Amino acid sequence: MAKKLVKLLALILAVIILASVSLAAKEVPKPKKIVAFLDTISIKESGQDEFIKEYKKFTGIELEIIQPVHNQYYEKLRLAFAAGEIPDVVEVSEANYVNYANEGAFVDLEPYIKKSEICKKIDPKNFESVRVGGKIYGYPKEIGDGPVTYIRSDWLNNLGMKPPTTWDEYYKLLRAFTFNDPDKNGKNDTYGMTAPGPTGDNVISFANNYYRDIYQDANPEFEKVNGKWIDGFSQPQMKPALERFRKVYQEKLIDPEIFTNKTSTCREKFHSGKAGIFTYWYGLWMTKLERDIQKNFGPTAKIISIPAIKGSYYQARVPGVLGITVNCKNPEGVFKYFLDYSHDGGQGQMLFVHGVEGVHWVKKDGVYTKLPLLFNPAALYTKNYYNAEMVMTPWNDPFKMDERIINSKNDFVKSYRQASLAPMPPSRMKVDQELFNLKNEILGKILLAEITVDEGLARYKKESEALGIKKILADMNRM
């Protein structure tokens, strides 16, 4: 009996040992050091070294951050790759991400995403929006943000009007903000809305974000609909959209300088009371815009955000990502202990969003408070790397967020669409700039009443077909 018991205990012990060995084999090895090439993380003067120390204290991993000057970031990144000084993880915007992914610079993250418990808590469309050539090479930093429509609520009150919910109401508001002296200064010196150039060289400006109330269900870019890429400029809904655009421009209800406007000039016009409607980024910009308006007009000057009007939608741009380079010795470890860790809904996320306790924030009597900037005591610290209002994982953020910021986000997410990265086959690459210029030129001529909407669309059909639009779409849908 004793011998049988000894054998049984030995067998149990062997099973336990084998199970332990198996679990140990599955444990992802922790990197000793991670080199990260980052752009939008807080600068050294804001306490970056303290963040690095805290990260090592929490994870045991040495972190080296390479952060070039912002306007030289991509130049320095390209030089680093050319010199073979390739980091483990790289921050890239959507356009640059596609280029690096297509050049084979990044590791396919999908196998790690599928195994990650943290990624299961993230809406899959965040990852799907950065799929390139069938693979996911980037971990989104945040949810894709986008502009929401802001309206001077004090002007609404002055005119006894309500926020618009339909195109007819929106159009009437444009007229009222243009002709009915909404600021009550006795002068005819306002127009309904301002926006950056629809015919500029920025695809985002041209198409979707700043003119959503006018475009409504139309999208002049390439767009994925029901799993298929289409050319939005040739879709039936483009005609009424262009007619609306032409109407409000010809009636001088919108900023006459939209052709040359930059976003900075639009913000200035909104601040100075030239326009009562401005479609701009949700979140922190809500409070920034109102604060700057109140500098000029006092505390009674206020703005509100609104949900997309009936028949329209807001669009979330493709988010910036973090890619793990093919030179990384331990990509799964970097994925787990850097990327996943920064979105863990706990210690890591707190560090990557709000920074270091005692340096960037404090907790007193259960209340979390931001500390002044290290290099500018007159201003409070805002974020370390990720925006609190744009985190992807469910998270009980201990910092109380401004209700206006929450409202602007809620108004956006009620009716938004997530943009996806459009494939760039050789057939498109050869003529993409020509197509873009063609759309710009046609739109400009339509708004200036040099051609009719029908003439513009007929010209686009003829010239886009000559540029090979049918083959481009076929190639895009094969990728």
Side-chain angles (χ1 to χ4, degrees), residues 1 60 111-113 196 251 312 345 401 407 430 470:
M1 181 71 179
Y112 310 140
I113 292 169
E251 293 181 6
S312 187
M401 193 177 295
N407 289 341
K430 283 194 304 184
K470 291 181 180 178

Side-chain angles (χ1 to χ4, degrees), residues 239-255:
K239 179 178 178 179
L242 292 173
E243 287 171 343
R244 286 190 295 269
F245 212 157
R246 175 188 175 112
K247 179 180 176 70
V248 296
Y249 186 81
Q250 283 294 307
E251 293 181 6
K252 301 181 179 178
L253 307 184
I254 62 177
D255 186 349

